[in-house]
Amino acid sequence: MTDVVVAGGGLIGLAVAWRAARRGLTVTVVDEAPGRGASEAAAGMLAPVTEAGYREESLLRLGLASLERWPAFAAELEAAGGLPVGLRTVGTLVVGFDDDDMRQLEALHDFQQELGLSAARLLPRAARRREPSLTSRIRGGLLVAGDHSVDGRAVHAALLAAAEAAGVTLVRDRVEGVVVDGGRATGLRLRSGGTVPAGSVVVALGAHSAGLPGLPPVPVRPVKGQILRMAGAAGLLDGTVRALVRGRHVYLVPYGEDRLIIGATTEDRGFDPTVTAGGVHDLLHDAIEVVPGVSELELAETLARWRPGTPDNAPLLGPTAVPGLVLATGHHRNGVLLTPVTADAIADLLATGELPDRAAPFTVDRFEAP
Amino acid sequence: MTDVVVAGGGLIGLAVAWRAARRGLTVTVVDEAPGRGASEAAAGMLAPVTEAGYREESLLRLGLASLERWPAFAAELEAAGGLPVGLRTVGTLVVGFDDDDMRQLEALHDFQQELGLSAARLLPRAARRREPSLTSRIRGGLLVAGDHSVDGRAVHAALLAAAEAAGVTLVRDRVEGVVVDGGRATGLRLRSGGTVPAGSVVVALGAHSAGLPGLPPVPVRPVKGQILRMAGAAGLLDGTVRALVRGRHVYLVPYGEDRLIIGATTEDRGFDPTVTAGGVHDLLHDAIEVVPGVSELELAETLARWRPGTPDNAPLLGPTAVPGLVLATGHHRNGVLLTPVTADAIADLLATGELPDRAAPFTVDRFEAP
């Protein structure tokens, strides 16, 4: 019997598995297609400051804690797996187009200042000196030097290699349910008919974490996102550019030698897998507005996936009312950013029985009726 | 030795081969990937009247002659190959958005009237009665009842089957040159090293028809086109809709059960294979302007191919200065429309030695210095 079985081999599941294995636990991960869920679409932004939302301060704190871990996590991961993760530490530029966009940018900046976060206002010319491909039609910008990015797919590949090197067993099968025995979670039931018995069961199935037989209610819903991957972008952007284009959000995240991600729509449509004309149009339109040179890039890939959304946009971490059953899901738009802090918190819990303080606000019982 | 060898297994090459075989000739077609050139991207419009261009009257006449043949050609082809070709005979609607668009539509209509072509002006309401998915923002329309469409890929599949049934030999190899012996074309040289000797050689390589070793100058250049294929379009449009959207052209061609083609860019960029952000954006933007419901469709496929353009936009048909060497290329935007008339004219030439009168204006010697 394995100490831990993890349902889900995306970024979160694999990172939990890797960190738990490094704590001396025997770990099995079950996924029929590891990395083919939200991880495949992730833009890889590590951007808690530019993403900072009102009434989401505890999430912001968690994001900042995770961002702080990222450089060491990346270095360790690259050493363990032998594969690069594409960490870019050049900062993130946020720009706006019209009066309303600029008011939103100002409000974001005020909020950042209140919280003591580091962000600098830039005049249009200064923003374009930083990213010369930006259109001259921007009205102003914010430079957040601390918001970085990684190559999400590279991170996933590195995690697979690192987990394997740490002795994690990967079972390529579909999770059909949690085995509950005498009120306690004791393993996973697989589509192939078998089960994986384990001391602890971690559910890291992203948007698919709800509704699994044997599971108590998990308040996760699919939030569809469409993203575009472009090729031929060498030299176009140095770092991430986020923009408010007359009220609509778009981001452009360079990665690899010549790649660029343009993202992302946010749609409440259930598990609709369709890449739509409207979604692709809006992303291209806004990206070309911000960086006209995007027009010449190759549209290399279009993709739709589902983020695991929760009622308060924060993740579900830690124990549940079912002994032995642990959640590591609900990361919504922040899966890549929150990977290190999630992995370490859950590995702590699995190794010691105690959830670290920083993760305590994110247990699922916060949604229970009082 | 085969009577005829055809270089190119696209719509034109296969149709020539099929018709020639039906005339009793033995025919071989050489293509490493039949139907993967411009045929794969073709929207399948049979629309000489809506495409009528000033100073291109002889091309228009050829197009009308081919359109007239299409129903019988389609019926024969479906019978011979056992596969459907998706002929739609509901007519084509052309709409305009602003004053300039409407002036262009008026000018097109005047030109059509002068030539005795059948087209009816429609008020916006009448256009929308015909195609209820049209935006209410159109300013007017032209209904061309005689302009139809087929499913280009289905036609290609049907031609492959019909050619095979007629005894045509298909050699899946790349054409590397024309064998010229004593000033006469005597076959094709293949990449694999072999040759296919033949009494007559037909070049139907589309945009790749120029620059082949052994060939005299063929004034064909690649004219890049990007098109989009959408799914989920059942019931959206009854027939083809073409639009002038503030000076830009877009067309929407329904096919199959629930499919829609949105096309097409026209770019002079040589053999650039890139599907670009700008190309896809412009097509989606204009299509959504014309038919807002396009926004919800699935973007199923994006594609870039090269039309074989000529200096006067008309095809190159018939004999060359090299005995035994025949051209069936240069069809530019009209390959599908001109397939029947081309196939019959070239098959006539191959079987009788005489090019029919209707094809005579399209021999390559029209470009020779006087």
Side-chain angles (χ1 to χ4, degrees), chain B residues 143-239:
Chain B
L143 176 62
V144 179
D147 274 3
H148 305 321
S149 69
V150 286
D151 176 343
R153 291 184 181 176
V155 173
H156 189 271
L159 279 170
L160 265 180
E164 191 186 31
V168 171
T169 303
L170 179 63
V171 175
R172 287 183 187 257
D173 203 337
R174 188 186 179 95
V175 176
E176 292 275 321
V178 175
V179 182
V180 180
D181 211 352
R184 185 181 169 80
T186 59
L188 290 176
R189 190 163 39 250
L190 311 187
R191 172 181 277 176
S192 63
T195 61
V196 182
S200 298
V201 176
V202 179
V203 173
L205 288 167
H208 300 278
S209 297
L212 210 59
L215 217 62
V218 177
V220 167
R221 72 182 195 286
V223 179
K224 179 179 172 184
Q226 302 185 47
I227 64 120
L228 313 177
R229 286 177 187 259
M230 319 299 294
L236 193 69
L237 291 180
D238 194 33

Side-chain angles (χ1 to χ4, degrees), chain A residues 58-71:
Chain A
S58 66
L59 175 59
L60 171 66
R61 298 291 164 206
L62 189 71
L64 290 170
S66 205
L67 176 61
E68 199 176 292
R69 276 156 201 256
W70 249 109

